[in-house]
Amino acid sequence: MEISSKENTHFFSNNTILPVDRSSFKSESSSSKEKQSCCGGIKIFLGALSFVYFAKALSGSYLKSTITQIERRFDIPSSLVGVIDGSFEIGNLLIIILVSYFGAKLHRPRIIGAGCLIMSAGTFLIAMPQFFMGRYRYERFPSTINSTVSLSPCLQDKSQTPLSALEKSPAKINAGCVQTVAIIGPIFGFLLGSLCAKLYVDIGFVDLDSVTISPKDVQWVGAWWLGYLIAGVISILAGIPFWFLPRHLPRPEGRKDSSTSSEHSKFITEENKDQGTSSWQQAKLAEMAKDFLPSLKNLFGNPVYILYLCASIIQFNSLIGMVTYKPKYIEQQYGQTSSKTNFVIGLINIPAVAFGIFSGGLIMKRFGVGVVGAAKLSLGSSFFGYLLLLSLFAMGCGNSEVAGLTVSYHGAKPMSDHEQALFSECNSGCSCSRNDWDPICGDNGVTYVSACLAGCRTSNGTGKNTVFFNCSCVRTFESSQSSSAVVGPCQKGKECPKMFLYFLVISVITSYTLSVGGTPGYILLLRCIKPHLKSFALGIYTLAIRVLAGIPAPVYFGVAIDTACLKWGSKRCGGRGACRLYDSSALRYVYLGLTLVLGTVSIFFSVAVLWVLRKRSSPQDEILSANGERGACGTKSRKDNFVHSDQLIQSTYWPEKETRL
């Protein structure tokens, strides 16, 4: 019989002395200490694991923030940069099978610690080419680099050495805690990318006063390597605690009799628990191998799972390609610097994604959304997200006016052969190279590929303050009265800042809308799979996303983007380098068009998922599923597809969610 608080007060207020059961007191004390020790161990493990997630997410997002920097530094096309980005997933696939197999048999915390060391070694390795390939050399007219050299930009004297020859000379808390940190990591990754992009690539190795380009120049390369060194150090620090954790965490006293068998509960186990004989393990392994093909057949015989898998693969192709080249698109379309682009993505887009994920989970929990409702919410999120993306086609900037590429030297549209259009009567007396990219801005507001191609005869000043005079091509452009020019390309049109603001607003809303459907889609996936196949199904799902989306999407997006290039750079050793100038309209249609086409195809598969669910379920199933009593994807497997609500909400992760912008 329970005693009320008032009775307790009256009882202990009397002077009655009762015997104390010391054995009971000791057992309660030891139980309390064991509980505190267990909770402390779990908190330490979750804190350390959260830091690992942070380090991994920071490294992955920083890689995407340095795409354009790497492209310019090593003079490579976007397609090759896509291969580099896709190799991040290839590395995961090479090790994931070994980790999955040995992880359950060996010391798990130390495996995580070793993984952190490998991750840090990888980030250090990415930065190494910066220290072995000499200093970065950008194309510049010699007089802008060294004031003692006096050469005419227009090389009328054939004995004068062109720039190309000079360039070719040799040179020297809890489980939600972990997922939250996985969202915070990319924010810091892009902010770190923004900071490093402001710093010159060879900072600490060259005199910065001698650098004649600014962050607004298309040839500017930031200190991309610095962020990888910082990420490597963070990965090392993240792995240190795991080398001091025990092999198993003690299970709380209240859970020792629990019948749960989830993977995370198996790790929290008693130190002295019998692991079974080797013969039993061999028999279990043989049974698992025998059951592999039937399980695979059962899984792929589920139409909801197959259709949702196809929809996810195609949608992730769309999203991964869009996110990978989003910094490049903003830089080329709106004339923004790499630093500002990364800052905007990290501070605006990623928080919108995090808020969208949170909102999706909140809607599911608040309104008790069932399996059909989850399918509707996921479909609606994708539909309205890609509908908003469609509006971005109208929010682009026109091409920069570049003589011989986007406009002729007389102000009219150029010829189809851009290489031939670089030469005109105004620079016919100059020995110019068509491979150089050393842009100058004429007083008429037109950019010229080089001072030589602008027909400039004299120059004054050094470095960024160099001014060119007597530029015959500047004077002939629509009968311009001026003939001078300054170093660097001209700014884009006046409408660009306004268009960029509109783009940011729609981009944030689109990021939020697409992210709302993430959690409902993941829960839909769980509810449509038999309990004993859930781990296997999620493994197949993750593997398919990485192989069929994470690896190929950056590659073919890069190939498509390369088709919009108007002016290619040239490597010092010969051959085609990185793209210097894109056709803004072509880039917009290729980048947004490919994203939208893939997204539209994924929507058709999502519609098919909803149709199958409606066909296989009844209104009663939906009501029961919404109330948490019973959830099923079909009337034939209601009992097998039961999932507790706490199991559904505890994990809201899907591949690469932290970088879905």
Side-chain angles (χ1 to χ4, degrees):
M1 179 177 180
E2 294 184 358
I3 303 175
S4 65
S5 59
K6 290 184 178 180
E7 291 174 340
N8 280 333
T9 304
H10 176 73
F11 180 78
F12 285 106
S13 65
N14 295 331
N15 294 327
T16 306
I17 300 177
L18 297 176
V20 179
D21 190 349
R22 297 184 179 275
S23 61
S24 175
F25 176 78
K26 289 182 180 180
S27 63
E28 291 179 0
S29 176
S30 61
S31 175
S32 176
K33 290 182 179 179
E34 182 182 353
K35 184 177 182 180
Q36 292 179 356
S37 174
C38 174
C39 292
I42 293 176
K43 289 181 179 179
I44 293 175
F45 176 76
L46 285 176
L49 190 63
S50 299
F51 195 28
V52 171
Y53 266 65
F54 173 82
K56 185 263 181 187
L58 184 144
S59 301
S61 58
Y62 183 77
L63 172 64
K64 295 191 180 297
S65 74
T66 58
I67 288 294
T68 55
Q69 309 290 314
I70 294 175
E71 182 179 333
R72 295 171 186 171
R73 176 62 179 88
F74 301 104
D75 269 327
I76 54 179
S78 297
S79 55
L80 186 54
V81 172
V83 174
I84 296 174
D85 184 81
S87 64
F88 185 82
E89 295 293 347
I90 297 176
N92 284 335
L93 294 175
L94 291 176
I95 199 69
I96 192 172
I97 297 178
L98 294 176
V99 172
S100 300
Y101 179 76
F102 290 105
K105 302 178 180 295
L106 303 177
H107 199 297
R108 290 187 181 183
R110 290 182 181 176
I111 290 179
I112 297 175
C116 291
L117 292 179
I118 296 174
M119 187 166 63
S120 65
T123 52
F124 288 143
L125 192 62
I126 295 176
M128 287 300 103
Q130 169 66 20
F131 304 99
F132 296 126
M133 296 192 65
R135 306 281 75 84
Y136 173 56
R137 303 183 67 185
Y138 50 89
E139 300 174 50
R140 268 292 177 261
F141 179 68
S143 64
T144 66
I145 301 175
N146 189 341
S147 61
T148 61
V149 178
S150 179
L151 290 176
S152 169
C154 178
L155 298 176
Q156 295 176 323
D157 185 358
K158 304 298 183 182
S159 64
Q160 289 185 320
T161 306
L163 177 62
S164 58
L166 295 175
E167 289 288 343
K168 292 181 180 178
S169 60
K172 314 260 170 198
I173 302 172
N174 53 31
C177 176
V178 174
Q179 302 300 338
T180 301
V181 173
I183 292 294
I184 297 176
I187 296 178
F188 282 89
F190 277 99
L191 292 181
L192 178 62
S194 174
L195 175 63
C196 294
K198 288 184 179 179
L199 307 175
Y200 184 63
V201 61
D202 291 323
I203 185 172
F205 300 96
V206 298
D207 182 12
L208 297 182
D209 293 333
S210 64
V211 179
T212 61
I213 56 176
S214 67
K216 294 183 178 180
D217 197 296
V218 73
Q219 296 186 88
W220 175 268
V221 176
W224 61 274
W225 51 271
L226 183 60
Y228 287 110
L229 298 182
I230 295 174
V233 172
I234 293 176
S235 297
I236 291 177
L237 295 177
I240 290 177
F242 290 95
W243 295 97
F244 301 96
L245 289 175
R247 180 167 184 169
H248 301 288
L249 294 179
R251 178 177 295 179
E253 190 71 24
R255 294 187 59 187
K256 287 188 176 182
D257 296 331
S258 175
S259 60
T260 180
S261 61
S262 60
E263 184 66 21
H264 64 84
S265 66
K266 290 179 181 178
F267 174 55
I268 306 174
T269 173
E270 298 88 345
E271 291 283 352
N272 299 324
K273 185 176 180 180
D274 185 16
Q275 299 296 324
T277 61
S278 58
S279 60
W280 178 83
Q281 292 180 349
Q282 292 177 359
K284 184 178 180 181
L285 191 62
E287 182 181 353
M288 291 173 60
K290 183 180 180 181
D291 193 49
F292 177 79
L293 289 180
S295 298
L296 190 65
K297 182 179 179 181
N298 194 331
L299 191 63
F300 283 102
N302 187 334
V304 176
Y305 178 78
I306 291 299
L307 289 173
Y308 182 77
L309 180 63
C310 293
S312 298
I313 290 173
I314 298 174
Q315 186 177 36
F316 273 106
N317 269 273
S318 170
L319 297 178
I320 290 173
M322 181 179 68
V323 171
T324 301
Y325 293 100
K326 191 168 192 176
K328 185 183 187 70
Y329 178 76
I330 294 177
E331 292 176 33
Q332 294 293 334
Q333 187 69 214
Y334 302 101
Q336 301 297 320
T337 64
S338 297
S339 177
K340 185 175 181 179
T341 297
N342 291 327
F343 182 81
V344 166
I345 293 176
L347 208 61
I348 298 179
N349 278 96
I350 294 181
V353 173
F355 188 56
I357 295 170
F358 174 78
S359 299
L362 186 64
I363 292 172
M364 293 290 295
K365 185 176 182 180
R366 175 66 179 82
F367 298 100
V369 179
V371 62
V372 176
K376 291 179 180 179
L377 186 57
S378 179
L379 174 60
S381 169
S382 298
F383 177 77
F384 287 107
Y386 286 108
L387 192 64
L388 286 168
L389 191 67
L390 185 64
S391 64
L392 294 180
F393 281 96
M395 300 176 188
C397 294
N399 284 323
S400 300
E401 291 189 335
V402 182
L405 293 177
T406 60
V407 294
S408 71
Y409 284 91
H410 300 286
K413 291 185 178 180
M415 298 179 295
S416 58
D417 189 349
H418 300 296
E419 295 296 333
Q420 294 298 328
L422 287 174
F423 299 100
S424 180
E425 294 179 359
C426 60
N427 57 30
S428 59
C430 305
S431 300
C432 304
S433 170
R434 68 180 61 181
N435 297 323
D436 295 338
W437 178 261
D438 185 11
I440 63 171
C441 180
D443 286 344
N444 55 5
V446 177
T447 300
Y448 295 86
V449 174
S450 67
C452 180
L453 288 171
C456 300
R457 262 65 179 182
T458 59
S459 63
N460 187 22
T462 59
K464 300 176 183 178
N465 300 319
T466 302
V467 180
F468 299 94
F469 300 99
N470 298 326
C471 302
S472 57
C473 294
V474 177
R475 183 167 50 247
T476 59
F477 186 87
E478 295 182 347
S479 302
S480 175
Q481 300 299 320
S482 177
S483 62
S484 61
V486 295
V487 173
C490 299
Q491 296 298 317
K492 284 218 170 191
K494 295 181 180 180
E495 79 284 355
C496 249
K498 185 187 298 184
M499 287 295 180
F500 180 56
L501 182 60
Y502 294 155
F503 171 83
L504 288 182
V505 173
I506 298 300
S507 177
V508 169
I509 298 175
T510 302
S511 299
Y512 171 80
T513 306
L514 288 173
S515 301
V516 167
T519 301
Y522 187 82
I523 292 178
L524 167 66
L525 180 67
L526 288 178
R527 289 187 178 181
C528 294
I529 304 169
K530 293 181 180 179
H532 67 282
L533 293 177
K534 290 187 185 297
S535 297
F536 185 46
L538 291 176
I540 294 293
Y541 179 82
T542 304
L543 182 67
I545 294 296
R546 289 185 169 181
V547 173
L548 301 179
I551 296 175
V555 178
Y556 66 77
F557 261 81
V559 172
I561 288 175
D562 283 340
T563 62
C565 184
L566 291 178
K567 172 63 178 173
W568 289 97
S570 57
K571 297 181 180 179
R572 292 196 302 270
C573 57
R576 192 175 76 175
C579 185
R580 304 301 188 192
L581 180 68
Y582 287 90
D583 184 331
S584 295
S585 298
L587 177 63
R588 182 166 65 253
Y589 288 120
V590 167
Y591 173 75
L592 296 178
L594 189 55
T595 301
L596 196 61
V597 167
L598 290 170
T600 303
V601 175
S602 71
I603 288 176
F604 282 113
F605 278 100
S606 298
V607 171
V609 170
L610 182 60
W611 181 78
V612 172
L613 285 175
R614 282 184 172 277
K615 185 178 179 181
R616 298 179 62 184
S617 62
S618 64
Q620 185 181 5
D621 294 326
E622 179 66 13
I623 294 173
L624 292 174
S625 178
N627 292 331
E629 299 177 10
R630 184 174 67 197
C633 289
T635 56
K636 295 182 180 180
S637 56
R638 295 172 184 167
K639 192 171 181 179
D640 289 338
N641 290 325
F642 175 79
V643 181
H644 294 288
S645 59
D646 59 339
Q647 290 176 316
L648 295 177
I649 302 300
Q650 73 180 9
S651 177
T652 58
Y653 177 80
W654 65 95
E656 297 288 339
K657 79 169 183 184
E658 61 268 15
T659 52
R660 296 301 122 230
L661 306 181

